[in-house]
Amino acid sequence: MLIEFQEQWTRQGLYHRLVKRQLDTRHVVATARRVTEVARLEGVVVIHAPLVIDPEDKRGALAHLTFGRVFTKGTPRAEFTAGIFEEGDPVVQGRTGFDAFAGTDLAQLLRENGIDKVFFGGLTTDQCVARTLRTALRMGLRAYLVPEITATFSGWLQRRAEKRFAEYLAPLQEAGGPFPGALREEPKTD
C-alpha cells in the first residue's frame, strides 16, 4: 500500500523541500521503485492511495485549508511519482483526507483482492501513513510499516513514528522482511 507517492512531494516545490532531506538521505523513492518491482514479481498486489483535490468540488479540511492548490486534480502535482505506479495497479478512489480508509473504497479493494496483510509505505510517515495504519490495525488487518519506503519532515519525526509503531515495523533489510530482494542493489539517488 503506497500512500501519496505523488509529484506534489517528489517534484520541485514547497512540499518537496519539506521532505527532500529525508527522501534523499534515505533513498526513499529509489527504494520504493525497487520494492514495487519486486512485489509485483512475487505476485503482490500494489495498491496506491493518492490524495487528489478537485478545486471545483473541495472536499475535506485539507482542500479548504489549501484552497485546492495542492494535489490538484488535473495537474502534475496530483500525478504519481514516476516509476512507482504501473498500469493495472488498484488505485484508492475518493480520498480527501489523511486516513486513506476514510470515505474511500480502500476496504473494498482489500476485500476484493483477498488482502488481510498490508505493508505501508508513503508520505508522510507521521501523518497520512500513521493514520491509515492505525485504522487498518483497528479493522483487524495485519498491518505493517516499511520504514525504508516512508518519509516525513525530519529524521526526528520519522524516528518518533517508527518508535510509535515499533511492534508493526517490517524493515526490508531484516530476515523475513516483506520484500528482502528489494534491497539487493545499492540505492541510487534520484
Side-chain angles (χ1 to χ4, degrees):
M1 174 83 196
L2 298 175
I3 298 172
E4 287 176 37
F5 269 102
Q6 292 171 263
E7 295 291 330
Q8 183 75 56
W9 291 115
T10 58
R11 181 184 281 194
Q12 294 301 320
L14 173 62
Y15 274 55
H16 177 69
R17 284 193 300 274
L18 293 171
V19 296
K20 181 179 179 9
R21 185 172 181 167
Q22 287 297 299
L23 288 177
D24 291 350
T25 60
R26 298 176 58 241
H27 310 286
V28 172
V29 173
T31 303
R33 286 181 181 131
R34 282 193 307 283
V35 166
T36 57
E37 182 180 329
V38 169
R40 288 184 192 104
L41 288 172
E42 294 183 11
V44 174
V45 176
V46 178
I47 297 175
H48 301 269
L51 180 59
V52 179
I53 296 174
D54 184 347
E56 302 300 318
D57 183 20
K58 293 185 206 89
R59 294 181 188 196
L62 185 62
H64 291 285
L65 288 171
T66 63
F67 305 102
R69 293 191 179 132
V70 297
F71 303 100
T72 310
K73 180 180 179 180
T75 70
R77 293 182 285 239
E79 292 176 10
F80 290 110
T81 301
I84 295 177
F85 174 79
E86 190 173 280
E87 197 64 41
D89 287 349
V91 178
V92 174
Q93 300 297 312
R95 182 162 173 246
T96 61
F98 293 103
D99 183 345
F101 281 100
T104 71
D105 64 345
L106 177 53
Q108 179 182 337
L109 282 174
L110 295 174
R111 278 192 306 275
E112 287 172 356
N113 287 283
I115 299 170
D116 68 348
K117 186 176 187 180
V118 185
F119 295 94
F120 287 95
L123 305 162
T124 61
T125 314
D126 58 321
Q127 294 299 319
C128 297
V129 177
R131 291 178 190 210
T132 306
L133 176 61
R134 277 194 295 270
T135 298
L137 291 168
R138 280 194 305 269
M139 292 172 65
L141 295 169
R142 294 179 297 155
Y144 303 92
L145 177 71
V146 182
E148 294 90 346
I149 58 172
T150 63
T152 192
F153 307 109
S154 71
W156 180 81
L157 287 170
Q158 180 72 27
R159 288 186 300 276
R160 189 175 102 184
E162 289 177 19
K163 184 177 179 182
R164 184 177 300 144
F165 294 107
E167 67 184 286
Y168 304 105
L169 289 183
L172 295 172
Q173 73 270 20
E174 287 186 8
F179 310 105
L183 290 181
R184 284 192 195 125
E185 299 175 18
E186 282 298 308
K188 298 173 189 155
T189 57
D190 294 319

